[in-house]
Amino acid sequence: MAELTASPVTSRRWRKPPLIRNPWLRWGLLIGALIYLAVAISSVPVDDARIARGLERGGRMISSFLRPDFASRWYDIQIGVLESLTMTVVSTVAGVLLSVPVGLGAARNLVSAPIYLACRSIITISRTFQEVVIAIVFVVMFGFGPLAGVCTLAFATIGFMAKLLAEDIEEIDPAPLEAIRATGAGWLKTVTYAVMPQVSARLVGLSVYRFDINLRESAIVGIVGAGGIGSTLQTTFNRYDYDVAAAILLIIIVLVMTTELVSGHIRRRLQ
Amino acid sequence: MLRIEKLVKQYPTGDRALRGVDLMVPEGEVVALIGPSGAGKSTLIRCVNRLVEPTSGKIWLRDTEITALSARRLRQVRRRIGMIFQEYALVERLTVMENVLSGRLGYVNFWQSWFRRFPQHDVDQAFALLERVGLSDFVDKRADELSGGQRQRVGIARALIQSPDMLLVDEPTASLDPKTSRQIMRLITELARERGLAVIINIHDVPLAQLFVKRIVGLRAGEIVYDGPPEGLTPERLTDIYGEEDWGAGQAVAGADSAQEMDPEPSPIFAASTSNA
Ligand SMILES: Nc1ncnc2c1ncn2[C@@H]1O[C@H](COP(=O)(O)OP(=O)(O)O)[C@@H](O)[C@H]1O
Ligand SMILES: [Mg+2]
């Protein structure tokens, strides 16, 4: 330190180098973006009358949310909640069971190229589309109701779980894999002895995590008609029963928070 | 027993790890394979059970040509070839017993292995082997709770429960302290002699090899440059295998060798071999 202050300091200017070096390009892009924004905003039709009506409706909604009505549609709510829970359990179990073979097939260190590509495609398809889009497809296929919801959530679960599982498998210690193969064990036995023990704890943790994602999603896919509490919610909105809607939203919040707490606890215990 | 003819292995990266190796190991003989790291020792033994596919050459175990087998027949032959690894290669999250019994996977059917319902005969044998390697008290311990020496004993039991005709052993002591190293070498060579197994042991530590083994094969840059008794390893011979070094000084062979393993710069031999490739 002493040496530093002792030596004569010539002051050199320093500025953080700009992200884009060329000043013309830099300012051009900025101005272009501002113009686009201005044009875009002006292109959205703003209707004063509709805003006024919307605000009024919003006010009514908020006031009914302050006094949620659990009683008048309790039976429907109960059925919706049960249906959502059933959808969640069934879709998680089915999705996880199906995701294991897909995940194994999508691990480069376990399979040949054609199987790898096939399983990766399944994962990509499942992950490309948002749950709501998939739900609409299944509602068209199977009609309204929880079957479409279960299929949607199971399909989404496959993509999610299989991708993470495959990534885990690709990172396992290759030595035991080689050792088990060297005993003369075939593929399936090698997987059960050398691969599954290395990833099973993570697999359980991820399944629990996916369970609470599925519960949340079960409310959303219900809105497009795929059953569960979401469908009940949708009905109440259509009838302007905001106080019942409020009750349902509160129940969803409590349910999601509870499963999140429980699943977080289980996952911490697994580590 | 084991016959290797003109074995060549060229990795896709271009490394020619083996350049025409001929080797015979008769029934019941224990051979130590020495050589600097990168000489191709691991590649050679992995070619025997085709964990590594040879590029050319033939390997015979008794009268089976291993290099010509279908995947299915290969699995059957692998059952008779036990393998022991440097880093033990146990499944850490399984118990000692499960690790040992995994040596029987080639013999049981899938559901037996899935539910851990191995035939009583296998279980008896597993207990006997665990007793023999001194791990009777660790049967239900998880493998990751064991020390290095204990893990290697599990590795040995796993290889032997296969009832192999032959053992392939890859640097069994490289991760162990000197005393444990000797115990493990003694155990392997004793068990091999008791059971009349043909054995190839890759080993870094020349004095240790000389102590336990009657035939030593020196590999350098994928070629066999020495094949003979331990006494024949004169300083000139060692120079042939490992390159220039004062072999007399302090019997520091093992030390020099492991230092070489750490050395980021390639040894002259290694450099020569890669530039030829
Ligand atoms: N999987 C592999 N891919 C490419 N090259 C390899 C592979 N394994 C080994 N090699 C190369 O083959 C040569 C011999 O390696 P190896 O058989 O491991 O020697 P050793 O066991 O005697 O140390 C080395 O040059 C090494 O870089
Ligand atoms: Mg090696």
Side-chain angles (χ1 to χ4, degrees):
Chain A
M1 279 311 254
E3 294 150 63
L4 261 183
T5 43
S7 67
V9 180
T10 50
S11 56
R12 288 172 59 188
R13 271 163 51 87
W14 181 86
R15 290 275 181 282
K16 182 177 176 298
L19 187 63
I20 302 167
R21 280 196 175 276
N22 182 343
W24 285 100
L25 184 62
R26 185 160 75 238
W27 290 106
L29 277 178
L30 189 62
I31 292 166
L34 285 175
I35 292 174
Y36 175 79
L37 197 64
V39 172
I41 289 175
S42 67
S43 75
V44 176
V46 180
D47 180 342
D48 294 343
R50 274 175 66 179
I51 290 185
R53 253 181 296 145
L55 283 178
E56 184 217 314
R57 208 179 295 155
R60 254 196 298 136
M61 239 165 100
I62 289 172
S63 65
S64 24
F65 268 99
L66 292 178
R67 39 185 175 73
D69 173 9
F70 289 91
S72 61
R73 298 230 164 252
W74 182 239
Y75 178 73
D76 292 335
I77 294 177
Q78 236 181 340
I79 290 197
V81 167
L82 271 181
E83 201 168 83
S84 262
L85 282 175
T86 315
M87 277 164 61
T88 308
V89 172
V90 174
S91 66
T92 308
V93 170
V96 168
L97 288 181
L98 291 170
S99 75
V100 170
V102 178
L104 288 169
R108 208 182 304 236
N109 50 347
L110 292 186
V111 296
S112 57
I115 297 178
Y116 173 80
L117 287 177
C119 291
R120 281 283 160 181
S121 326
I122 296 177
I123 292 176
T124 307
I125 294 170
S126 156
R127 289 173 54 86
T128 303
F129 300 105
Q130 223 281 328
E131 275 87 341
V132 174
V133 179
I134 305 173
I136 293 171
V137 173
F138 278 119
V139 167
V140 172
M141 279 167 66
F142 300 133
F144 293 106
L147 176 61
V150 167
C151 292
T152 304
L153 296 179
F155 186 63
T157 303
I158 293 174
F160 174 91
M161 295 285 300
K163 175 156 193 285
L164 295 174
L165 182 63
E167 273 165 16
D168 269 11
I169 292 174
E170 284 173 353
E171 274 161 28
I172 62 169
D173 180 2
L177 195 65
E178 199 176 43
I180 298 292
R181 230 178 329 129
T183 66
W187 189 85
L188 213 49
K189 287 184 230 166
T190 307
V191 165
T192 44
Y193 272 73
V195 178
M196 286 330 258
Q198 294 195 60
V199 298
S200 56
R202 266 275 286 182
L203 182 63
V204 175
L206 284 174
S207 310
V208 175
Y209 179 43
R210 186 64 212 188
F211 182 89
D212 59 61
I213 297 180
N214 279 349
L215 183 65
R216 239 173 308 156
E217 296 293 340
S218 79
I220 292 169
V221 298
I223 292 174
V224 295
I229 190 73
S231 296
T232 322
L233 186 65
Q234 173 67 0
T235 315
T236 61
F237 270 114
N238 287 343
R239 295 181 185 153
Y240 304 101
D241 284 342
Y242 294 132
D243 40 6
V244 179
I248 293 176
L249 285 177
L250 285 175
I251 288 173
I252 292 176
I253 290 171
V254 170
L255 267 177
V256 169
M257 269 170 56
T258 317
T259 52
E260 241 173 46
L261 276 175
V262 173
S263 87
H265 184 70
I266 294 176
R267 277 183 287 136
R268 265 193 305 281
R269 287 288 298 276
L270 281 172
Q271 274 159 14
Chain B
M1 178 82 214
L2 180 76
R3 198 165 84 240
I4 298 176
E5 276 173 14
K6 297 203 185 64
L7 186 64
V8 173
K9 173 63 191 180
Q10 177 154 19
Y11 283 104
T13 51
D15 283 297
R16 282 188 68 195
L18 299 174
R19 305 157 169 258
V21 170
D22 293 292
L23 183 67
M24 283 254 275
V25 184
E27 196 114 22
E29 188 172 78
V30 181
V31 177
L33 190 60
I34 63 169
S37 54
K41 304 184 296 294
S42 302
T43 305
L44 177 56
I45 64 167
R46 280 176 161 68
C47 281
V48 171
N49 60 1
R50 278 175 54 191
L51 286 179
V52 167
E53 282 297 334
T55 308
S56 66
K58 288 184 176 172
I59 301 173
W60 301 76
L61 186 71
R62 295 236 168 83
D63 38 18
T64 313
E65 189 189 340
I66 293 180
T67 36
L69 295 175
S70 65
R72 190 187 150 72
R73 289 275 297 121
L74 175 63
R75 282 203 299 277
Q76 285 168 4
V77 172
R78 276 180 179 165
R79 304 188 301 197
R80 311 302 300 236
I81 306 176
M83 200 161 190
I84 297 170
F85 300 82
Q86 171 180 347
E87 301 282 357
Y88 329 119
L90 303 181
V91 183
E92 305 259 296
R93 288 171 156 278
L94 295 184
T95 63
V96 167
M97 186 51 119
E98 284 172 302
N99 269 290
V100 174
L101 285 172
S102 70
R104 297 301 294 178
L105 285 176
Y107 296 93
V108 299
N109 70 39
F110 173 73
W111 293 112
Q112 286 173 304
S113 76
W114 176 264
F115 292 110
R116 305 326 193 228
R117 288 272 176 269
F118 286 83
Q120 189 56 42
H121 171 74
D122 293 355
V123 178
D124 290 340
Q125 226 188 322
F127 275 115
L129 275 165
L130 282 172
E131 177 135 8
R132 178 69 178 79
V133 301
L135 290 176
S136 308
D137 297 338
F138 296 85
V139 174
D140 287 323
K141 275 248 184 334
R142 252 170 57 164
D144 54 10
E145 296 173 53
L146 305 184
S147 71
Q150 290 167 336
R151 288 184 203 202
Q152 194 55 292
R153 289 161 192 276
V154 178
I156 293 169
R158 174 177 65 190
L160 287 174
I161 203 172
Q162 285 177 236
S163 16
D165 300 324
M166 145 138 239
L167 283 184
L168 303 171
V169 190
D170 199 358
E171 316 243 9
T173 62
S175 313
L176 301 173
D177 64 73
K179 184 174 171 215
T180 314
S181 295
R182 282 180 168 223
Q183 292 170 338
I184 292 293
M185 275 300 280
R186 184 171 302 123
L187 186 61
I188 293 174
T189 47
E190 265 177 23
L191 282 164
R193 292 199 175 108
E194 276 169 26
R195 292 160 185 246
L197 308 180
V199 184
I200 302 179
I201 306 184
N202 287 352
I203 187 158
H204 255 352
D205 188 338
V206 177
L208 194 62
Q210 287 172 314
L211 204 56
F212 289 101
V213 172
K214 300 217 169 52
R215 178 179 167 202
I216 293 190
V217 170
L219 199 62
R220 186 189 73 185
E223 280 167 322
I224 290 181
V225 294
Y226 178 84
D227 189 345
E231 309 82 63
L233 278 176
T234 57
E236 297 76 59
R237 291 303 196 179
L238 286 173
T239 301
D240 265 356
I241 302 171
Y242 286 96
E244 212 58 67
E245 174 62 52
D246 183 3
W247 299 108
Q251 285 295 306
V253 175
D257 186 45
S258 53
Q260 180 183 37
E261 179 98 288
M262 312 264 170
D263 195 346
E265 285 188 15
S267 67
I269 291 167
F270 188 86
S273 78
T274 43
S275 62
N276 289 350

